[in-house]
Structure formats: C-alpha cells, structure tokens
C-alpha cells in the first residue's frame, strides 16, 4: 500500500525546491561506504575512497550514523531555509538540534538497525557536546569528497530545478509531480509514494513539500518527515548519467589565446581535482610554475582549492566549466 500525502491549496502554495549539501553528503557517504562499484559514480568512487580511508572516515562517526539500511537520523537533514543553503548553514541547523530530537532519532536507529556503537552511545548521553564532533567529521568528509566536485554536481542539480520550474510554468504542478519518478504520482489532491513503507499524513508531516534533486540518492526517492518542517522528498536529478563525463576541450585553443598555454593546459587537466604535485607530473611544468598559474586562475575565479589531508586539491569552478564549453561550442 503506497504512502499518501494529502494536499490543500495552502500545501501546494508552499511547495518549493532546494539544493541541499547535506542530502548529497549523506547519500554519497552511504554509497562510498558500501564498498560497491557504481555504473555512474565509479570514477568519483575511485578518486575519493582512498582519501576518506586514509582520513579514517570509514570507521568514524558517519559510519555509525549513516548505515547501509534505509533510515538515516533525521537531524542530519535539517530543512533548508532557502533554495541553496551552504554546508555551513546546514551544519548550524544540525548543531542547533534539541537533545530530545537527537535521542529520538537514535532510538529509531537502534530499533530499526540494531544496537548503537560506542560513539553513538556517547552522542545519546551528551548531544550538545558530541554534535560538535559529528559536525567536524562532516566538514572533513565534505572537503575530501564533495567540495572539489561541487561546481559540477551543483550544475546538474541547478539544471534539474530549472527544468522542473519550466514544467510548472508550462504544464502546472500536477505534471511536475507525476514526472518526478515512476514511484511518485499525483491524483485527486493526494501525492502517492509507492516505495515508502511507513504511513504518511498531514498530521505527521509539516505543511507544504520540499523537493530536493540529488545526484546520489540512487534509483529510489528518499523522504524525511519531521514536523513542523515541511516533508522533504529527495529524488534522482536529471542528467546524472553525464555527471562525470569529461567535457570536450578541443576548443581550448581559443581559451589559450586569452589565458596562455600553460594556464589552459592546467584547466584541461583539472577535469578531475588534483594537487600541485600531480599536475606538475602530468603536464611537465615545474611545481613552482604550476603553483603560480593556479594562484592566478584562482584569483580569476576559474579554480578553487580544497584541503585534503596534508595536500590541497584544485578543481575547476563552474565559471571555468562554462568557459571551456563555450569555446568548444564556438569551435563547432
């Protein structure tokens, strides 16, 4: 029997989209820690898994909180207050979680997935102080696994939101909801979720609906229901299949005419995030020259830097991705 969520005109008026770093963090960590391969994310997994293992994240707080079964403690996904909150804003929401909510979520985790580990028993006893340690590990995972790729991931999520917004403008909200996923359907003012096993009603959910496109949810939409927050529905974003494909760079000669050959070479090599040492090895440039060029590219908003243990990973920004894509389009 599918779960059913009734909608009033007020609920429909409060429906909105948001891009959430914490949704991507939790779902990506579950995939990473599963130890399995993935037809879409295998390149990301191959790059990120060694870093997180080296940092001990395969045996830390997140491993105890984000297990392979379906339920993840709700306090890890605070309702986004705007369309695109930063990770810092969402961490602030996690740190502000009342102690009774933390314990209620941990009680459910224990009921559904077995006894709490030693860290979570400490979190249960001292939520306020131990949430700080959870937040520190979340920040570490973000810097290692998602921050260097965020421009690329965010571009896919934003494109999905724009597509859905156009659907609403051209065909109405009912068409949008019926098109989200095969397991989601709208009929007679009721949203039906075929894959959700727990009952769902407006008495157990807040007003409205928060739609969250995600790159890592997998094939099945995920829900979070914790009143008075609006219910959250995280669904697979469109375009995930091309997320890790290398963009064409045949038009890089046009970029080189502006930036110079060395800087353009570094941008094309940053298809995947890399350190100064790795870039020097790949390009034949000296490490000091790579560092100088990367600093100039970063000052121009074309690269970003992310701490990964003792090294720093550089990544292309969305501006750089757009510039290379535009050069390729002009070449054609």
């Amino acid at each position: 029997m599918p779960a059913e969520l009734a909608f009033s005109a007020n609920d429909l008026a409060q429906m909105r989209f948001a891009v959430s770093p914490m949704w991507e963090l939790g779902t990506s960590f579950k995939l990473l820690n599963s130890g399995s391969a993935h037809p879409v994310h295998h390149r990301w997994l191959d790059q990120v898994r060694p870093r997180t293992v080296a940092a001990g994240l395969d045996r830390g707080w997140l491993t105890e909180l984000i297990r392979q079964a379906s339920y993840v403690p709700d306090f890890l996904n605070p309702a986004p207050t705007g369309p695109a909150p930063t990770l810092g804003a969402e961490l602030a929401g996690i740190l502000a979680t009342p102690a009774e909510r933390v314990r209620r979520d941990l009680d459910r985790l224990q009921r559904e997935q077995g006894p709490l580990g030693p860290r979570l028993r400490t979190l249960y006893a001292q939520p306020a102080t131990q949430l700080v340690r959870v937040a520190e590990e979340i920040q570490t995972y973000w810097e290692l696994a998602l921050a260097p790729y965020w421009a690329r991931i965010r571009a896919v999520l934003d494109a999905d939101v724009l597509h859905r917004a156009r659907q609403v403008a051209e065909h109405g909200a009912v068409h949008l909801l019926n098109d989200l996923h095969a397991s989601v359907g709208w009929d007679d003012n009721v949203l039906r979720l075929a894959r959700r096993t727990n009952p769902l009603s407006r008495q157990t959910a807040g007003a409205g609906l928060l739609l969250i496109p995600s790159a890592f949810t997998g094939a099945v939409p995920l829900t979070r229901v914790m009143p008075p927050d609006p219910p959250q529905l995280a669904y697979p974003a469109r375009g995930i299949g091309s997320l890790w494909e290398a963009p064409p760079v045949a038009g890089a000669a046009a970029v080189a005419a502006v930036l110079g050959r060395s800087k353009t070479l570094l941008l094309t090599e940053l298809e995947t995030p890399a350190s100064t040492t790795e870039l020097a090895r790949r390009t034949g440039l000296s490490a000091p020259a790579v560092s100088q060029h990367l600093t100039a590219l970063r000052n121009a908003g074309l690269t970003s830097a992310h701490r990964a243990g003792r090294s720093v990973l550089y990544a292309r920004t969305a501006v750089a991705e757009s510039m290379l894509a535009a050069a390729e389009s002009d070449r054609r």
Side-chain angles (χ1 to χ4, degrees), residues 98-143:
E100 61 271 17
R101 173 169 286 187
V102 173
R103 294 189 177 109
R104 186 164 65 244
D105 288 354
L106 294 179
D107 283 337
R108 179 179 172 185
L109 186 68
Q110 184 167 230
R111 284 195 309 271
E112 296 187 9
Q113 301 180 31
L116 302 179
R119 290 183 180 84
L120 296 194
R121 291 196 296 271
T122 305
L123 177 60
Y124 195 98
Q126 304 168 18
T129 57
Q130 298 307 309
L131 276 178
V132 174
R133 300 182 67 184
V134 174
E136 289 172 351
E137 187 168 302
I138 287 172
Q139 185 70 55
T140 298
Y141 176 76
W142 173 264
E143 290 297 326

Side-chain angles (χ1 to χ4, degrees), residues 147-171:
Y149 308 90
W150 188 239
R152 181 175 291 194
I153 295 169
R154 177 70 188 273
V156 169
L157 303 183
D158 285 347
D160 180 272
V161 172
L162 288 174
H163 171 78
R164 306 295 179 182
R166 184 169 182 174
Q167 282 185 314
V168 174
E170 294 182 352
H171 306 290

